[in-house]
């Protein structure tokens, strides 16, 4: 019998330590985790964010981490001269006055901007803002055009932008009067006035498009859809005691949407023609209408309701007759948000078109005259992610793709150039990393900003052929590393088919001890519109919202392993990988996720899933959190769900019909957390903001109602005035995060949490 020595005894005891026997996180420990982001975010230097180019110039600008915050730098590619992109102190003064709270120059409340008019513009809390650079004045930009809610239903409470729209030759002007199109000559004389427009079938002035030769005009006549309003109560307004009622136009799956009819007007003959609607039956969208350069035709893209058919339709201006140039169909969905089309030389004789018909997103060159494919431009078991530039003269395409290079993370984005005939594929970015590239308008230069979770950002200026001009910035993370930051660990395991690699990250606590066992919590977002595991270094996220690596580390420091992975049903892999989400949002990739967790637990003794896995997520991640607890209760035991859409019938039409289809059927019920609320077995905390303008807050309350009716226990935190990103980028961030942390401590470590009310 082997003698038990003191070192061996210590090892055995360590193996027997369970999370419940570890020291409970103190109030100071929890507060340190809550404060981790604010304490660490300023520790990097010279970390450049992706660049933008000043239009029609060789000047570009980017955001850079400096002592005390962030500087915006502008640089000239030719001369190398650089300086401030704008007066940050002046903008800070203007924002302080506009927001009624102190904004400092090195901590402006936006990550990105663009030059516009006499200043800069940017987005803040979903809304466009503008700051004048000659005076310290910042304000929200006024809304001039009539909004189209979720791109489907016009908000008829708001007036349309009905200014006179001049023909290219300047001799005619068009607008809408009493729901009808009116065309005036230079003397103000009416040349044409339609007679069939009514309040229930009106001409939309915001859709007027003149032909280049000024002879023709096309405009949409619109039958309004159903104006569904989400009504919210602002319980605690800043400026008054009494609550306010807010109404938001918000189309939901299955609602009747606006019906748009393109109408062609010939100003020489006075005739007008309704384009044959048989070409675009049950239209969900008619988009990207443009006149060809010779004024002989115009074209537009059509998506059928249900997202299983897309077409390119061309209309002959002389006859008003339309024809289908490209007809794309799918048994599942066509991801039109990632669609792309380019009319070569803007004549329509040739068309570039993005399709997933062979199982991967690739570019095709079409013969526009004969409506058939000429050749495949890109080819391989990898997806085109974005088309950056097309040179019709050189017959070349610049594009981004991922998964091209064997042995690399298949999500790493690289940039390429290829000829129209598919020859000459040239990679422009060679480092094995994730690349963000921006080109000058003349395509002479590009800025390549690349990194990995374990490789801090490098920003380089390169010529169009990929040769290096100079290094712009190399991130210094020495202070961050000294504070205790360690890069997440990449982990790969096979998915449900036994063949496909599932990629994820493992975040360990700062003071990780491999001899201990740590319970595991998963940070989930499984929306089918993208992939979500961080591939860039910046651990705080390129944009304000979202719980990136630093948020995962803050939670891990309390005694957990925190992970994130992309399961099947998310984007940026093959069509088959993506199709798992079709009419199946509730799947959320869980068969892949569970296998990934089990593979990690098999490899690492400290990866403890013996008592179940915790999970948290926001928005679609909130819905997935409930799906984990309801549909996989033997594996997922504890969840915190933020701002979720818990029944896809309650959420915005555009996102949900894209993945769940139309008409609304029982697949919506199968994925619904509300319908399946009685299945809850684990511990659940629900958090949402009462002013969520992205997901109807009633979705959270309907879940609450269903849980009460099913006699289930749970915790609820409703944040007055909170928006969709409550607890992640707006609202009482620290408070909400602390509540989340303490819930996991109590439910997964089985420890008493500090009394925050005690003095």
């Amino acid at each position: 019998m082997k003698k038990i020595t003191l070192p061996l005894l210590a090892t055995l005891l360590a193996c027997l330590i369970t999370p419940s026997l570890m020291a409970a996180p103190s109030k100071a420990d929890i507060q340190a985790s809550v404060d981790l982001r604010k304490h660490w975010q300023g520790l990097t230097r010279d970390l450049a964010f992706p660049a933008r180019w000043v239009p029609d110039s060789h000047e570009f600008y980017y955001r850079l981490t400096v002592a005390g915050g962030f500087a915006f730098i502008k640089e000239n590619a030719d001369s190398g001269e650089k300086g401030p992109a704008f007066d940050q102190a002046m903008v800070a003064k203007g924002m302080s006055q506009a927001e009624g709270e102190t904004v400092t120059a090195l901590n402006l409340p936006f990550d990105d901007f663009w030059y516009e008019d006499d200043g800069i513009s940017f987005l803040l809390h979903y809304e466009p803002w503008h700051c004048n650079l000659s005076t310290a004045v910042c304000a929200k930009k006024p809304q001039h055009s009539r909004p189209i809610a979720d791109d489907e239903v016009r908000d008829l409470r708001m007036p349309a932008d009905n200014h006179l729209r001049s023909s290219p030759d300047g001799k005619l002007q068009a607008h809408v009067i009493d729901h009808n199109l009116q065309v005036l000559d230079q003397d103000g004389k009416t040349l044409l006035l339609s007679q069939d427009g009514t309040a229930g079938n009106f001409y939309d002035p915001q859709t007027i498009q003149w032909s280049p030769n000024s002879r023709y005009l096309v405009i949409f006549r619109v039958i309004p859809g159903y104006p569904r309003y989400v009504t919210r109560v602002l319980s605690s307004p800043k400026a008054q005691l009494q609550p306010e009622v807010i109404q938001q136009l918000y189309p939901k799956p299955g609602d009747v949407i606006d019906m748009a009819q393109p109408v062609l007007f010939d100003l020489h003959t006075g005739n007008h023609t309704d384009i044959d609607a048989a070409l675009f039956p049950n239209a969900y969208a008619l988009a990207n209408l443009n006149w060809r350069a010779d004024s002989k035709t115009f074209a537009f893209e059509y998506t059928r309701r249900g997202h299983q058919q897309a077409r390119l339709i061309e209309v002959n201006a002389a006859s008003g007759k339309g024809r289908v140039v490209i007809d794309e169909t799918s048994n599942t969905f066509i991801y039109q948000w990632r669609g792309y089309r380019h009319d070569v030389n803007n004549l329509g004789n040739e068309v570039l078109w993005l399709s997933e018909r062979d199982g991967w997103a690739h570019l095709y060159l079409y013969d526009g005259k004969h409506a058939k494919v000429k050749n495949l431009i890109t080819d391989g078991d990898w997806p085109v992610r974005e088309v950056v530039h097309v040179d019709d003269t050189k017959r070349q395409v610049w594009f981004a793709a991922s998964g091209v290079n064997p042995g690399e993370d298949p999500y790493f984005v690289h940039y390429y150039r290829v000829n129209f005939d598919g020859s000459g594929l040239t990679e422009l970015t060679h480092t094995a990393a994730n690349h963000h590239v921006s080109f000058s308008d003349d395509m002479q230069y590009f800025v390549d900003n690349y990194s990995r979770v374990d490789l801090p950002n490098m920003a380089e200026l390169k010529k169009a052929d990929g040769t290096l001009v100079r290094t712009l910035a190399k991130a210094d993370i020495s202070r961050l590393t000294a504070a205790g930051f360690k890069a997440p660990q990449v982990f790969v395991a096979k998915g449900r088919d036994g063949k496909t690699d599932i990629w994820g990250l493992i975040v360990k606590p700062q003071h990780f001890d491999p001899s201990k066992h740590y319970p595991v919590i998963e940070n989930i977002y499984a929306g089918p519109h993208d992939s979500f595991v961080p591939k860039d270094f910046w651990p705080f996220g390129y944009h304000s919202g979202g719980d990136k690596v630093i948020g995962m580390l803050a939670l891990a420091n309390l005694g957990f392993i925190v992970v994130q992975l992309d399961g099947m049903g998310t984007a940026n892999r093959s069509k088959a990988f993506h199709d798992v989400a079709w009419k199946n949002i509730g799947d959320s990739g869980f068969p892949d996720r569970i296998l990934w967790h089990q593979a990690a637990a098999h490899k690492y003794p400290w990866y403890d899933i013996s008592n179940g896995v915790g999970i948290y997520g926001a928005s679609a991640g909130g819905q997935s959190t409930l799906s984990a607890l309801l549909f996989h209760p033997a594996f997922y035991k504890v969840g915190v769900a933020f701002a979720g859409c818990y029944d896809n019938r309650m959420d915005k039409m555009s996102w949900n019909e894209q993945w769940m289809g139309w008409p609304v059927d029982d697949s919506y019920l199968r994925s619904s957390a509300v319908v399946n609320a009685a299945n809850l077995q684990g511990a659940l905390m629900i958090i949402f903001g009462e002013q969520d303008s992205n997901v109807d807050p009633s979705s959270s309350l309907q879940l609450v109602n269903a849980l009460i009716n099913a006699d289930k226990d749970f915790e609820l935190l409703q944040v007055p005035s909170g928006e969709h990103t409550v607890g992640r980028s707006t609202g009482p961030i620290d408070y909400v995060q602390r509540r989340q942390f303490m819930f996991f401590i109590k439910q997964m470590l089985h420890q008493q949490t500090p009394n925050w009310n005690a003095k």
Side-chain angles (χ1 to χ4, degrees), residues 15-33:
C15 291
L16 293 172
I17 293 176
T18 64
S20 60
L21 297 178
M22 294 180 185
S26 67
K27 193 172 184 179
D29 293 332
I30 296 171
Q31 192 62 53
S33 283

Side-chain angles (χ1 to χ4, degrees), residues 406-470:
E408 273 191 20
D409 184 325
Y411 293 95
F412 283 172
V413 174
H414 287 269
Y415 287 74
Y416 303 85
R417 185 182 62 248
V418 68
N419 297 322
F420 279 12
D421 64 3
S423 67
L425 180 65
T426 303
E427 183 174 0
L428 302 176
T429 53
H430 300 288
T431 304
N434 197 46
H435 293 259
H436 297 266
V437 167
S438 56
F439 289 85
S440 61
D441 285 351
D442 62 7
M443 301 301 291
Q444 288 192 30
Y445 294 104
F446 66 86
V447 175
D448 181 9
N449 189 309
Y450 61 88
S451 68
R452 301 186 303 262
V453 292
D454 63 345
L455 175 68
N457 294 52
M458 287 283 293
E460 297 175 341
L461 177 67
K462 297 179 179 180
K463 292 183 179 179
D465 62 3
T467 59
L468 178 67
V469 177
R470 61 181 175 272

Side-chain angles (χ1 to χ4, degrees), residues 615-617 622 625 638-642 683-687 740 743-744:
I615 190 167
Y616 70 97
T625 297
V638 181
V640 178
F642 291 82
L684 170 64
M685 183 177 194
I686 302 167
I687 302 173
Q740 174 198 5
F743 186 77
F744 279 125

Side-chain angles (χ1 to χ4, degrees), residues 172-199:
L172 301 174
Q173 292 183 311
H175 68 155
V176 168
I177 184 169
D178 294 332
H179 311 299
N180 279 287
L181 175 70
Q182 183 183 47
V183 179
L184 307 171
D185 65 13
Q186 289 174 303
D187 298 324
K189 178 182 177 182
T190 299
L191 299 182
L192 180 150
L193 182 67
S194 66
Q195 302 296 321
D196 54 346
T198 65

Side-chain angles (χ1 to χ4, degrees), residues 490-743:
V490 176
F491 185 74
V492 183
K494 297 300 180 185
R496 69 187 76 182
D497 60 2
K499 299 179 296 183
T500 303
D501 285 338
I502 303 299
W503 288 70
L505 294 178
I506 297 174
V507 177
K508 304 170 186 174
Q510 272 179 267
H511 304 294
F512 173 72
D513 182 347
S515 68
K516 294 182 178 180
H517 291 183
Y518 294 87
V520 177
I521 299 174
E522 181 179 344
N523 171 20
I524 189 169
Y525 193 95
H529 59 280
D530 210 339
S531 53
F532 305 96
V533 174
K535 302 299 174 182
D536 301 303
F537 173 77
W538 181 241
F540 309 96
Y542 277 127
H543 299 287
S544 303
D547 187 13
K548 301 301 181 185
V549 170
I550 200 68
M552 297 164 67
L553 178 59
L555 178 56
N557 279 347
L558 296 173
F560 304 100
I561 297 294
V562 184
V563 305
Q564 187 175 7
L565 58 144
D566 284 314
M568 291 186 184
T570 52
N572 302 325
R573 298 286 287 276
S574 68
K575 174 67 171 159
F577 191 101
H578 203 187
D579 276 348
V580 169
W582 175 241
K583 290 186 174 294
N584 191 29
I585 287 287
D587 178 276
S588 294
F590 283 118
D592 313 300
R593 295 172 186 278
I594 291 171
L595 289 171
W596 190 93
H597 283 290
Q598 291 171 339
H602 179 74
K603 185 172 183 178
Y604 304 118
W606 41 262
Y607 197 99
D608 186 2
I609 59 173
S610 59
N611 293 313
V613 169
I615 190 167
Y616 70 97
S619 195
Q623 180 179 9
S624 294
T625 297
L626 263 294
S627 294
L629 297 180
L630 299 179
F631 305 136
H632 304 278
F635 193 83
Y636 290 96
K637 302 292 188 178
V638 181
V640 178
F642 291 82
C645 160
Y646 302 110
D647 187 313
N648 296 99
R649 297 170 297 176
M650 284 290 291
D651 194 28
K652 65 196 76 62
M653 178 188 291
S654 61
W655 196 87
N656 293 273
E657 286 193 9
Q658 169 71 74
W659 317 117
M660 298 294 287
W662 180 92
V664 174
D665 58 18
D666 62 354
S667 68
Y668 282 76
L669 306 183
R670 290 195 299 272
S671 288
S672 169
V674 176
V675 172
N676 294 284
N679 293 339
L680 180 66
Q681 297 181 36
L684 170 64
M685 183 177 194
I686 302 167
I687 302 173
F688 74 102
E690 69 169 12
Q691 293 305 308
D692 192 333
S693 61
N694 187 302
V695 172
D696 185 348
S698 290
S699 183
S700 292
L701 290 173
Q702 288 184 359
L703 173 64
V704 167
N705 185 56
L707 291 169
I708 291 172
N709 289 336
D711 202 26
K712 299 294 182 178
D713 291 337
F714 56 93
E715 289 192 20
L716 174 65
L717 175 58
Q718 177 178 345
V719 180
S721 304
E723 246 286 3
H724 187 60
T725 53
V726 65
R728 290 172 292 134
S729 69
T730 62
I733 304 172
D734 291 355
Y735 177 83
V736 173
Q737 191 175 50
R738 174 174 67 76
R739 290 287 302 273
Q740 174 198 5
F741 288 177
M742 292 207 303
F743 186 77

Side-chain angles (χ1 to χ4, degrees), residues 236-309:
S236 309
K238 288 184 178 179
Q240 65 187 51
L241 174 64
Q242 298 303 324
E244 292 180 10
V245 174
I246 297 172
Q247 284 196 320
Q248 177 187 357
L249 185 64
Y250 191 102
K252 294 187 178 183
D255 284 353
V256 176
I257 61 176
D258 289 359
M259 292 177 55
Q261 170 65 59
V263 184
L264 173 67
F265 287 83
D266 185 336
L267 277 301
H268 285 191
T269 66
N271 295 331
H272 71 276
T273 305
D274 284 10
I275 309 308
D276 184 4
L279 295 167
F280 45 91
N282 192 23
Y284 175 81
L286 304 179
N288 299 324
L289 187 150
N290 71 293
W291 279 95
R292 291 332 186 346
D294 58 9
S295 297
K296 292 181 179 179
T297 60
F298 69 88
F300 59 91
E301 297 159 33
Y302 152 71
T303 300
R304 191 183 185 110
R305 190 112 186 237
H307 299 273
Q308 293 181 290
Q309 183 179 35

Side-chain angles (χ1 to χ4, degrees), residues 32-84:
S33 283
V34 169
D35 292 339
L36 190 64
R37 180 187 298 269
K38 66 181 72 172
H39 287 162
W40 280 17
Q41 185 163 292
L43 297 182
T44 66
R45 299 290 185 271
D46 299 325
L47 191 152
F49 286 57
R52 278 182 180 264
W53 288 82
V54 178
D56 301 318
S57 80
H58 282 172
E59 290 187 318
F60 57 92
Y61 54 94
Y62 52 93
R63 188 183 189 222
L64 190 72
T65 62
V66 296
F70 303 90
F72 290 90
I73 306 297
K74 183 164 69 173
E75 188 163 341
N76 186 288
D78 296 323
S79 67
E81 182 182 355
K82 65 180 179 180

